[in-house]
Amino acid sequence: MSTETPVPVLPAPAAEAPPEARAVRGPARPAPPAEARPEPAAPAPGRPREAVPARRGAGAAAVLRWLRAGLLRSAAVLALLALWEAAPRLGLVDATFLPPFSEVARAWWGLLADGQLGEHTRASLTRSFGGFAIAVVVAVPLGLLIGWYRPVAAFLGPLLELFRNTAALALLPVFVLLLGIGETSKVSIVVYACVWPILLNTISAVGNADPTLIRLARSMDLSTPRLFQKVILPASVPAVFTGIRLAGAVSILVLVAAEMIGAKAGLGYLINASQFNFAIPQMYAGIITISAIGVAFNQLLVAVERRLSTWRVPA
């Protein structure tokens, strides 16, 4: 007899039935655990559905904030106009000398409709902006020169102190005697009045430039023009524009005073003639026009300053 032990024969694994057979034979196999499941496919790139309502909500909130800020800024002006309208009607002031604001508004519209307001405004703006532009072109380069070169500052310093303390309107008769009563004298007095704020602020801006930045620029072997372009001018922009904004207000005020003395057109002439003719609402209409021009001009200069000062880090 043979002593070899028989080797057990294992049954061959049954072949996996096709899906159709599995579906027929019985229930499906249990799903794999959660950690073994494949990750869902990432959604196709594109704007989610919630982005549009969120963006619309943000836009509406921005509009509300803008309206709230505008109302807050104009609240004092609206209160003043309401007081102006109520005081004459309640008898708090004499309506002959301070008519209600509604009457002034009607007079302003009447002057605008018949063309008088446009004619006088055009004459004043031409003189004011012409003298202001000449002052900027003259005073900014001169201020940079005086502020950078100390010998020039020492030489011109006493002369600047003498003339800057002389009121522009005190010299108006001198300008009229030398240049006549025409347009030249009016533009010249505006130039004289506007030069000093711009010139003095520019000199101060150059003198107060950061010495560390200047030394750093010199260590990089920058030429003088490049030093002015990269260091001095950017650092001087805020102070220079402060002087320019002051000069913008001065240009209108001095011109109105000059037009009251001798002119045949202009807002100053309109105010003076209305006062002599006892047309009080027209007089106040001219004053309001001057104020509106001053505010608009100042806002324009502020926008230009922000455009030129984009490099500054907001506080």
Side-chain angles (χ1 to χ4, degrees), residues 15-55:
E16 186 176 358
E20 294 81 3
R22 289 200 304 269
V24 173
R25 291 178 183 176
R29 298 172 62 185
E35 57 273 6
R37 295 177 185 174
E39 293 292 333
R47 188 171 58 180
R49 295 180 179 178
E50 294 81 4
V52 175
R55 184 169 299 178

Side-chain angles (χ1 to χ4, degrees), residues 116 119-124 127 181-183 185-186 255-256 258-273:
Q116 293 186 50
E119 177 185 356
H120 293 302
T121 303
R122 192 180 309 110
S124 292
R127 298 163 183 160
I181 203 171
E183 299 296 319
S185 60
K186 297 177 181 59
L255 176 64
V256 169
E259 289 175 344
M260 287 181 176
I261 295 175
K264 295 183 179 180
L267 293 174
Y269 169 79
L270 173 64
I271 295 171
N272 204 32

Side-chain angles (χ1 to χ4, degrees), residues 263-284:
K264 295 183 179 180
L267 293 174
Y269 169 79
L270 173 64
I271 295 171
N272 204 32
S274 300
Q275 186 228 350
F276 278 123
N277 296 326
F278 211 72
I280 303 303
Q282 285 81 357
M283 181 189 73
Y284 283 107

Side-chain angles (χ1 to χ4, degrees), residues 7 9 88 105 129 132 148 154 277 312:
V7 178
V9 179
F129 289 172
F132 172 79
W148 184 252
N277 296 326
R312 298 175 64 188

Side-chain angles (χ1 to χ4, degrees), residues 159-176:
L159 193 64
L160 297 179
E161 288 294 327
L162 174 64
F163 279 102
R164 81 182 185 91
N165 290 297
T166 304
L169 294 178
L171 296 176
L172 180 58
V174 178
F175 281 93
V176 172

